Amino acid sequence: MSPAKKLARRRSTKAARSLQSLVLKYASVVVRWSLPVMVVATAYLLFGIYSGRLTADVPPRIVSNLQLAGQVLAASAGLSAICLVMLTFDEIAWAVLMGLSGLAYLLGTPFLISNQVRSATSPAAEAIATWGTITGTIIVIVVGIRIVHEIYNQLAFGGLRVKGAAEEEGKLKPAGKAKIARVGPFTPCWETPSCHQAIREMCPAFRARKTCWRFGRGCNCDPGLVESLIRTGGVGASGDSSQRRTQQEYLRSDLQADVPTQRERTIPCAKCAIYMEHQRAKFRFISPILVIGTIVALIVFYRPVLALYSLTITGMAKLASIFSYGDQVDPEVWFDYLNTSTVQVFFLLMLGLLVLSWVLKFVEWAILVKKL
């Protein structure tokens, strides 16, 4: 790469980092203001629920105040969710926790109202139920977008985000041109880009036509082959003697933690760039199957899951009727806000995204961390 291109890349990287730092700084400022506003608006609506004002003759002024508080709650909750997702972007568990708070607004608001309502036609109760549902929906949508991005990362980068994966891949650089541009789960080790072409003919795994992780020896872990690689300075090595000595020292420090005997391996498969490339190829092969499997499962279990959702809503309504102090209003009136076709499909999609995200994370952990 030319010096001009290197300089342009450094400037571009620096500008991107500066922009990211600026965005996170403003996100932190917004959260400091939006979270207290969200708490105050929530407290105002809760006071409206427990003050005994959820009757049919509520003054229009109070209904307007509840409408305004609901709008403020929805806006501040949306801003808080977006900024918190940005600030905790490296760990999706925080996003899932925010999703649970959204479900608390979505499912908890009708439960609280049904326990305190005095009239089935209370405009105050309708205002609180509407904006509580909208607030929960906004938070869940923001979390859903974060989950979609996580799924995209898992599928697009094939596990390169796993800690240490990129570093291990960079330890042993391929010195010749790879035969193929993309590695598959059934690609033999000697056809991967990380295999050292100069000593391939000496590799026992290549001569036995068995992949090195199954054969137990290979160009990156066999002490004799490592020494040969160090002496040659890598395939296609060029430059003066000092450059070659530097390259040899680099290879020694990365490939040998201590002085091995001829029967010992310098590194385990878990630290081998060739094996890690194979594992990432395996992950890339399995991931689309999991996506298709999840979609098929959603189609197959579409009706049972929606029936379970309706049963849950009905059960919550009955539970609310048990703990309600009054018996004049059926709690199912307020839970009908959550049992529409639109909310059911929305719930199914969010459930599918969440299940797919955690399935992919489990497979990523099993293949790239535990090396199964």
Side-chain angles (χ1 to χ4, degrees), residues 29 76 88:
V29 173
S76 60
T88 61

Coordinates of all heavy atoms in Angstrom, one line a residue, residues 29 76 88:
V29 N -25.2 12.5 27.4 CA -25.9 13.7 27.9 C -27.4 13.6 27.8 O -28.1 13.9 28.7 CB -25.4 15.0 27.1 CG1 -26.2 16.2 27.5 CG2 -23.9 15.2 27.4
S76 N -39.5 10.3 25.9 CA -38.3 10.1 26.7 C -37.8 8.6 26.8 O -36.6 8.4 26.8 CB -38.6 10.6 28.1 OG -39.7 9.9 28.7
T88 N -24.2 0.9 25.4 CA -23.9 -0.5 25.9 C -23.9 -1.4 24.7 O -24.3 -2.5 24.7 CB -25.0 -0.9 26.9 OG1 -26.3 -0.9 26.3 CG2 -25.0 0.0 28.1

